[in-house]
Amino acid sequence: MENLDQQQAATLAAIAEAGTPEAVEAIRVSALGKQGWVSALLKSLGGMTPDQRQSEGPKIHAAREAVTAALADRKNALESAALEARLAAETVDLSLPAPQAPRGSVHPVSQVMDELAEIFADMGFAAASGPEIEDDWHNFTALNMPETHPARAMHDTFYFPDKDAEGRSMLLRTHTSPVQIRSMIAQGAPIRIIAPGRVYRSDSDATHTPMFHQIEGLVIDKGIHLGHLKWTLETFLKAFFERDDIVLRLRPSYFPFTEPSVEVDVGYTLINGKRVVGGSGDAENGGWMEVLGSGMVNRKVIEFGGLDPDEWQGFAFGTGVDRLAMLKYGMDDLRAFFDGDVRWLGHYGFGALDVPTLSGGVGVRS
Ligand code: 2NL
């Protein structure tokens, strides 16, 4: 059995020296493999007398265990060393500056909608929204627009081919007024809301796009009169254009949903051939520009909203967000608003963090 001790010592020494997993595997085969010396010794037990077997068996088994354990230890050690080497080689330098990702910008229409929401929130108006696919009752009938009203024609409105379950014609809303009808019915009075959003009309030329953005406002309460309307719109326009010298001109007009109806003009001054909002439109170099339509809510509309017009009165107004944005930020082509040209957006867009606030300025640009 000297032979066994020698072979075991030689094998353990070889294992200790093995530098690669392949070398460890070769030693395993030479010792424990079918032709290996440990396997040969185990087989030799079969030809021994019981006495020999009793004295040699434990030694042979001990040798096998010692070799097996040494192989496993060496394999583990080599694997950890390989992992350490990889970790050392593959470190990431977190202090390196990351490549600059392209940054988007906030579209002027979104920016102006945010400004409007901020200004009106300060006056106690909540922002309301509703479906862009409407039925003709909410879009027309409830707004006192009879079956014969020209705006109902296919020529002006995008209709869907199928009617809804109640037999109503379905269409793309032509204004955000149905949102306010829905609010009246759902929440009752008093009401102070704005309804900003996309609206659709079958119209397309240099100054009209089939989809555009509108904002409407609705106040319903007791004892509301034209004075409240005038103060609200004047306060809004001063905050929006960020000027104290805003002068309004109210002209009588007609809308089916308001009575009386007023068109609101704002005075501007021509500076280097450009219209700058502010000052009386009657001054030299001045002029008037229509910016809003409004009026006292028609009694019939209050009734369609489920309220008693002898108890509740109100005013409403509406205007185009795209046009407001053009006026304030000096863009002169409406169609560029919907082209999605990133160069245009890069020039006219706003930073995502330039959130409009009354204290910081609603129209800040960093
Ligand atoms: C315009 C004029 C206007 C309204 C919208 C309205 C809504 C309800 C009741 C009564 Cl629910 N009125 N909205 C009133 C007057 C004018 O818009 O020139 N829009 C672009």
Side-chain angles (χ1 to χ4, degrees), residues 138 142-143 174-182 184 193 199 201 212-218 220 254-263 290-298 301-302 314-321:
H138 285 96
L143 285 145
T174 60
H175 43 195
T176 57
S177 316
V179 173
Q180 309 180 91
I181 297 294
R182 288 177 181 279
M184 283 164 83
I193 50 168
V199 300
R201 290 186 198 171
F212 59 101
H213 299 86
Q214 201 192 18
I215 180 168
E216 287 194 32
L218 175 72
I220 302 275
Y254 173 79
F255 299 109
F257 24 87
T258 46
E259 180 61 34
S261 302
V262 255
E263 225 127 21
E290 186 192 325
V291 288
L292 290 144
S294 63
M296 302 307 295
V297 181
N298 191 303
V301 175
I302 292 182
F315 67 81
F317 55 89
T319 189
V321 177

Side-chain angles (χ1 to χ4, degrees), residues 113-123 355-359 362:
M113 295 240 219
D114 290 347
E115 295 177 14
L116 297 172
E118 178 72 18
I119 292 167
F120 279 106
D122 192 55
M123 292 193 271
V355 180
T357 61
L358 288 173
S359 55
V362 280

